[in-house]
Amino acid sequence: MEEEAGEEPGLGRSTAPRDFHFYHMDLYDSEDRLQLFPGESSRTRREVTQAELTNEPRGAGDSKNLQKEVDALVHLYGLEDEHELGGEFVDEHRLGTLGYPYGMRRRDPGREQRDWGLSGEAAEAEDLCYGVQGPPDQCQDLREAYRYTHGRASEEYECYVIPEEEDEEEPADVFCVTCKTPVRTVEKDFDIHKEHEVTPINKALEHAKDEIHKNMCKLEQQIIEMENFASHLEEVFITVEENFGRQEQNFECHYNEILETLAQKYEEKIQALGEKKKEKLEALYGQLVSCGENLDACRELMETIEEMCHEEKVDFLKDAVAMTDRLGKFLKTKTDVELSAKPEFEDQTLDFSDVEQLMDSINTVPAPSAPVINPQAPNSATGSSVRVCWSLYSDDTVESYQLSYRPVQDSSPGKDQAEFTMTVKETYCSVKNLEPNTQYEFWVIAQNRTGPSPSSEHVVYMTAPSPPSIKTEAIRSCEEAVLICWESGNLNPVDSYTVELIQAETPEASGVTESVVGIPTCESLIQLQPRHSYTIYVRALNVGGTSARSKPATVHTTGSYFQLNKDTCHPWLTISEDGFTVVRSEKKRSFRRELPPSKAQFSRCVAVMGNLIPVRGRHYWEVEVDEHLDYTVGVACEDVPKQEDLGANRLSWCMRHTFASTRHRYEFLHNGTTPDIRITVAPKKIGVLLDYEDSKLSFFNVDIAQHLYTFSCPLHQFVHPCFSLEKSGGLKICNGISAPKHVTFF
C-alpha cells in the first residue's frame, strides 16, 4: 500500500466499481458549492488556522473532527467497503500524512490559476503561509489541510478510473487451406479448423505470392493481346473511314458525270424533235395555201357560169364553149387532199448504253497495287509455324489476299519445290505445319472484284529450330562447374544456344535461376554453386525465334562426376551401360577386334580412361577393387602414349597392385619409378584425390580412412582418371560423391 502511494499517477490498475462516479467540485462557485459538512463552522476553520499558524499540534478533538469529516466523505461517495477498491484506498496513516489517494492525480495549481483564477478561500489559504516560520513542507501541509477541510481537495486532485488493458491477441501463424483464412496454432486443434488442412503462414504467403505472380503474368499477357486487338480494330476503323471516303467521292464523281450525260442527251433529243415539228408545220402550211387557191378558182368559175346562164342564147353559146374548155382543164388538174405530214411524232428510242456504262462504273474500283511484305520480326516463329505480315497502299480497296510460299531451294539442280497458297482477309497470317529451322520464301497478291494486284517481292522467313537433345551420358561435373553437351537436332545450323538452369530447391514456378546465352557450339562449361542440384534445359535460337526446351537433365554438384571413355577402351575390356564399371574377360583374349589404328585407344596396356571435367580444383572419386586382382588406378594426360604401360612415362601417375600367392605388392609409379612403401591392410575401396591447386595426387584406403601415398607433381595440363586390369576381373568407379572428412582435412 505504501509503495503504491509513491507511484506516478495513472500507473496503477483501477479496480473501482463501474458505477463509481466522481464529481468535479468546481462546477459551482465557492458560495454556491454544496456544503459537504453541514456542521462545519467558521470557528472550526479559525481553530485549525490558528493552530497551524502557531505551529502547535491539534488536539484530540481536532483529530476526531478531522476523522469524522473523512468518514463523511467516504460515506457520501459510497467508499465504505475498502475491499471494493482492491484494498488500495486511503488509510488513516496516509490521511494523517496527507498523502495522495490512489487514483488521484495532482493538478497543476499554476494552470488552474491561469484558467479559472483563485477563489477567495483559496487566496485565504495561500495567505496562511505568510509570516509562518518553518520549513516549506510545513507551509504546504497547511495549505493542503485548509483546502481539504474546506472541500477544495478536488481543485488539486482529479480522480479518474484507468481501464484494464486487454490482452493482446496472438498473431496468426498458420493458414487454413480449406477455409482460406489465417488462424492461430492453438485454434486449429479446438476450433472448426481441427480437421482442415493447414500450412505455415510463410509457406502460404509464398504460395499466394506465386499465384498472384502467375495471375499478373496472365493478366499482362491478356492486356497485351487486348492492346494488339484494339490496335487492329483501330486500323480497321481507319481503313473503313478511308474506304468510305473514297467510295463517296467516287460515287459523287460518277453521279455528276451521269447527270451531265443525261442533260446532254436531253438537249439533243429536244433539238431533233423541234426540227421535225418545223418540217411538219411547213408542209401542212403549203398544203393549206394550195387548197385555198383551188377553192378561190372554183368559186370564180361558179360565179362566171351563173352569169352566163342569164345571157342571150347566142352569147351564152359563145361563152359556153370557152367555159367548157376552161372547166375541162381545171377538172383535169388533180387536187391533193391527203395530209403531207402526220400530226403524230415517231417514238424516240434513246440509247442509254453509255449511261449504263457510267452507272456500272460507279461501283468499279481499280485493281490494287502490289502489297509489301514486312521483314521477319524477332520471335515471330516457332518450330512449326511462322507469322507473316504485309502492308498495302492506303488508296487500294482489297477484298482478300493470296499468300503463297515454298521452301527455299537448295543447291541441288532440277529439284522443284512445292508451292502452297492460302486465301486470307487480314494483312497477316500464321502459316503452320512447317519444318523447323527451315527458310521459306513468301509472296502475296491482293484481290478485289476488278482483279488481282501484281505479286509482291519474295521475302524469306525462317522457322524456329527444333529443341536440342542433351547427351546425358556425356555430362561431366564437379563441385564448382558442369560440362554439358547436346545435339542440335536441326539439319541447318542455328545462330546460338541458351542453357537454362533451375535449382532443385527453387520452385519451378518461380522461373529460371540462371541463363547462359550466346553459346555458339553444342557444349558449354558453366560455373555452379557447390552442393546443389540443378535441372538443365537447352534452347536453340535463330532469326525466327527460340526453340522449345529440351528434355531436362539433372546435375548434382556434390562431387566430381564422369564416365568412362569408350574411345580409349582396350579391346579386351568391356564397359557397362551406365559407364561406371569396366570388366576384363578371358574370352576376349581369343580374338582381337579388327579396328583401324586409333591414337586415342590403348593398344598394349589393357586400360581405359575417364572423361574428367577440365576444371582446376579438387576432384575426388573412389574405386571398388578385389584384393586378389591385379589392377592399376591413377591419372594420365590425354596424350599419354597408348602403347606404354601406365606409370612408365612422365604423363601418368598410378598406383599398381599385383597379387602373387598370399603376397600383395603395391607400387606408386611415375616415369617408371616407385617409392618403397609397405601397405599392411589391403584396400577394398581406394579413394583418389586430385588437387590441382596444391599439385598433389593422393590415394586412400577408404574403409579404414588411411592415407596411402601422395604424388607431388606440377600439373601443367589437365589429366583424366585411368584404370587398368592385368587379369580377369572388374573395377567399379564411384563418383559424384563428396570427399570424406579424412580426405577433406588432409
Side-chain angles (χ1 to χ4, degrees):
M1 296 289 291
E2 295 178 356
E3 295 176 359
E4 293 173 356
E7 292 177 359
E8 290 293 330
L11 297 178
R13 294 181 302 169
S14 175
T15 57
R18 295 184 178 179
D19 57 349
F20 183 72
H21 301 284
F22 295 92
Y23 297 94
H24 200 285
M25 302 305 296
D26 291 335
L27 296 177
Y28 308 96
D29 294 335
S30 60
E31 298 178 356
D32 300 331
R33 186 177 65 248
L34 178 65
Q35 297 295 330
L36 298 178
F37 308 104
E40 182 183 12
S41 61
S42 59
R43 180 182 58 81
T44 305
R45 299 178 187 173
R46 287 195 299 272
E47 291 177 357
V48 174
T49 305
Q50 184 64 26
E52 292 175 346
L53 289 174
T54 57
N55 199 16
E56 295 179 359
R58 297 175 63 179
D62 296 333
S63 299
K64 292 180 180 180
N65 293 334
L66 182 59
Q67 182 63 35
K68 290 180 180 180
E69 296 173 0
V70 173
D71 293 340
L73 277 173
V74 172
H75 176 72
L76 177 63
Y77 289 102
L79 304 178
E80 296 91 342
D81 191 358
E82 183 179 352
H83 179 68
E84 290 184 359
L85 298 179
E88 301 179 46
F89 197 63
V90 184
D91 56 10
E92 292 183 1
H93 174 71
R94 292 165 65 186
L95 284 175
T97 58
L98 297 177
Y100 301 147
Y102 172 80
M104 303 182 70
R105 179 164 58 91
R106 178 70 179 264
R107 288 192 177 183
D108 183 7
R111 180 176 60 84
E112 292 290 334
Q113 183 176 3
R114 287 191 303 269
D115 296 343
W116 304 100
L118 293 173
S119 63
E121 295 177 352
E124 182 180 357
E126 294 292 337
D127 295 336
L128 291 176
C129 293
Y130 295 154
V132 177
Q133 301 297 328
D137 294 340
Q138 184 175 0
C139 294
Q140 183 67 21
D141 291 342
L142 288 175
R143 286 194 296 268
E144 291 176 354
Y146 183 85
R147 293 180 179 276
Y148 191 87
T149 55
H150 285 75
R152 301 293 292 178
S154 62
E155 293 180 357
E156 294 187 12
Y157 307 102
E158 180 181 21
C159 300
Y160 58 91
V161 178
I162 302 176
E164 295 184 0
E165 297 181 357
E166 297 181 357
D167 296 336
E168 295 184 359
E169 185 177 356
E170 297 181 2
D173 51 0
V174 294
F175 183 80
C176 179
V177 181
T178 306
C179 300
K180 305 294 183 182
T181 180
V183 297
R184 295 182 296 176
T185 305
V186 295
E187 294 179 355
K188 74 180 184 66
D189 296 331
F190 303 100
D191 206 348
I192 59 175
H193 311 283
K194 183 176 182 180
E195 298 181 355
H196 292 178
E197 180 184 357
V198 296
T199 184
I201 194 73
N202 294 333
K203 186 176 180 180
L205 179 61
E206 293 297 331
H207 178 71
K209 289 182 178 179
D210 293 340
E211 291 295 329
I212 292 175
H213 178 70
K214 292 180 182 178
N215 294 333
M216 288 180 64
C217 293
K218 293 180 181 178
L219 185 59
E220 290 177 357
Q221 185 65 26
Q222 186 174 1
I223 290 174
I224 293 174
E225 294 178 357
M226 294 301 295
E227 288 179 350
N228 294 336
F229 182 69
S231 300
H232 177 65
L233 288 180
E234 185 177 357
E235 294 177 358
V236 173
F237 181 86
I238 295 174
T239 304
V240 170
E241 290 287 348
E242 293 177 352
N243 291 339
F244 172 77
R246 290 195 299 271
Q247 291 288 352
E248 183 181 15
Q249 185 178 3
N250 187 24
F251 179 78
E252 184 178 358
C253 293
H254 284 78
Y255 179 75
N256 293 333
E257 186 176 356
I258 290 173
L259 291 180
E260 291 177 0
T261 303
L262 290 175
Q264 182 179 358
K265 286 184 174 297
Y266 174 79
E267 293 294 336
E268 292 177 355
K269 293 297 181 181
I270 292 298
Q271 185 177 359
L273 190 62
E275 291 178 355
K276 289 184 178 182
K277 173 187 175 183
K278 182 178 180 181
E279 291 176 358
K280 287 179 177 294
L281 292 177
E282 288 179 354
L284 292 174
Y285 180 76
Q287 193 174 11
L288 181 62
V289 171
S290 176
C291 183
E293 291 177 353
N294 291 332
L295 287 175
D296 292 340
C298 289
R299 290 191 188 99
E300 183 181 357
L301 290 175
M302 290 294 295
E303 291 175 357
T304 302
I305 291 173
E306 288 179 359
E307 290 178 359
M308 287 176 59
C309 289
H310 296 287
E311 292 180 355
E312 292 296 333
K313 294 180 180 182
V314 178
D315 295 332
F316 176 75
L317 288 175
K318 291 179 180 180
D319 293 333
V321 175
M323 182 59 64
T324 302
D325 295 335
R326 184 178 177 185
L327 285 174
K329 292 180 180 179
F330 180 78
L331 292 175
K332 288 179 180 179
T333 303
K334 294 182 179 180
T335 303
D336 188 7
V337 293
E338 294 181 0
L339 295 177
S340 59
K342 296 181 179 180
E344 293 85 5
F345 287 89
E346 297 179 357
D347 293 335
Q348 299 294 323
T349 302
L350 300 178
D351 184 10
F352 288 103
S353 58
D354 51 351
V355 178
E356 291 176 355
Q357 292 179 358
L358 291 174
M359 293 293 292
D360 293 338
S361 65
I362 292 179
N363 296 323
T364 301
V365 294
S369 303
V372 178
I373 297 184
N374 302 333
Q376 185 173 9
N379 299 321
S380 61
T382 65
S384 60
S385 66
V386 65
R387 181 183 174 90
V388 184
C389 301
W390 59 88
S391 58
L392 68 158
Y393 292 101
S394 59
D395 293 337
D396 292 339
T397 300
V398 178
E399 296 179 357
S400 63
Y401 299 92
Q402 284 189 349
L403 178 65
S404 302
Y405 64 95
R406 65 187 175 191
V408 176
Q409 293 184 357
D410 53 15
S411 58
S412 57
K415 185 177 180 180
D416 296 333
Q417 298 290 345
E419 295 184 2
F420 305 91
T421 302
M422 304 173 61
T423 301
V424 294
K425 296 290 186 179
E426 307 295 339
T427 57
Y428 60 87
C429 180
S430 293
V431 184
K432 301 180 180 179
N433 300 323
L434 304 178
E435 294 295 327
N437 198 37
T438 304
Q439 291 183 337
Y440 291 85
E441 56 179 348
F442 291 86
W443 64 97
V444 65
I445 296 175
Q447 289 182 329
N448 58 21
R449 58 185 174 182
T450 303
S453 71
S455 174
S456 67
E457 295 183 358
H458 291 213
V459 177
V460 175
Y461 276 56
M462 192 170 189
T463 54
S466 298
S469 177
I470 299 178
K471 300 178 181 179
T472 55
E473 70 280 359
I475 293 178
R476 293 178 278 171
S477 64
C478 62
E479 292 188 352
E480 300 176 354
V482 62
L483 178 64
I484 57 174
C485 304
W486 59 86
E487 294 180 353
S488 174
N490 298 274
L491 297 177
N492 300 322
V494 301
D495 295 343
S496 64
Y497 298 92
T498 298
V499 177
E500 299 176 353
L501 301 99
I502 301 176
Q503 287 190 14
E505 297 82 358
T506 304
E508 189 170 356
S510 61
V512 177
T513 304
E514 182 181 357
S515 294
V516 182
V517 300
I519 303 173
T521 60
C522 291
E523 68 175 16
S524 177
L525 180 64
I526 303 172
Q527 300 294 324
L528 301 177
Q529 296 295 326
R531 295 175 295 280
H532 284 80
S533 296
Y534 293 87
T535 302
I536 298 179
Y537 301 90
V538 180
R539 296 178 185 266
L541 289 83
N542 64 9
V543 67
T546 305
S547 72
R549 282 178 171 178
S550 65
K551 293 183 178 180
T554 303
V555 174
H556 306 281
T557 57
T558 54
S560 297
Y561 177 86
F562 61 89
Q563 290 184 335
L564 298 176
N565 188 354
K566 296 181 180 180
D567 295 335
T568 64
C569 183
H570 190 276
W572 292 358
L573 298 179
T574 301
I575 299 176
S576 61
E577 293 182 0
D578 59 4
F580 300 126
T581 302
V582 58
V583 178
R584 176 174 178 172
S585 176
E586 289 293 342
K587 297 180 180 179
K588 291 287 185 179
R589 288 192 173 188
S590 60
F591 65 93
R592 287 177 176 267
R593 292 185 234 177
E594 297 297 332
L595 296 175
S598 173
K599 294 182 179 180
Q601 187 180 32
F602 286 96
S603 58
R604 177 180 177 182
C605 179
V606 184
V608 64
M609 295 181 68
N611 281 328
L612 188 65
I613 184 172
V615 174
R616 295 189 176 274
R618 293 167 65 96
H619 302 274
Y620 177 79
W621 63 92
E622 297 175 352
V623 185
E624 294 182 2
V625 299
D626 186 354
E627 58 183 1
H628 302 294
L629 182 67
D630 292 351
Y631 59 85
T632 302
V633 177
V635 298
C637 296
E638 187 174 1
D639 56 349
V640 63
K642 304 301 189 296
Q643 298 80 18
E644 299 180 4
D645 292 333
L646 295 175
N649 48 64
R650 293 180 298 176
L651 300 178
S652 58
W653 298 262
C654 302
M655 171 184 172
R656 176 187 293 176
H657 170 260
T658 55
F659 179 74
S661 174
T662 58
R663 182 171 176 268
H664 297 273
R665 181 184 178 186
Y666 292 92
E667 298 175 290
F668 294 92
L669 298 169
H670 174 62
N671 200 17
T673 61
T674 179
D676 185 11
I677 295 178
R678 303 292 178 90
I679 298 177
T680 57
V681 180
K684 297 182 179 180
K685 182 180 286 188
I686 300 174
V688 183
L689 176 64
L690 173 63
D691 192 342
Y692 281 98
E693 297 177 355
D694 295 337
S695 299
K696 292 181 179 181
L697 175 67
S698 303
F699 298 88
F700 301 87
N701 187 341
V702 178
D703 295 333
I704 61 176
Q706 180 186 17
H707 172 248
L708 301 178
Y709 184 75
T710 296
F711 287 101
S712 295
C713 48
L715 301 173
H716 301 293
Q717 56 180 317
F718 290 107
V719 295
H720 298 279
C722 55
F723 312 92
S724 176
L725 289 171
E726 301 299 331
K727 296 181 180 180
S728 299
L731 298 176
K732 183 177 181 181
I733 295 90
C734 303
N735 57 22
I737 57 177
S738 300
K741 292 184 179 180
H742 66 274
V743 175
T744 305
F745 296 103
F746 176 75

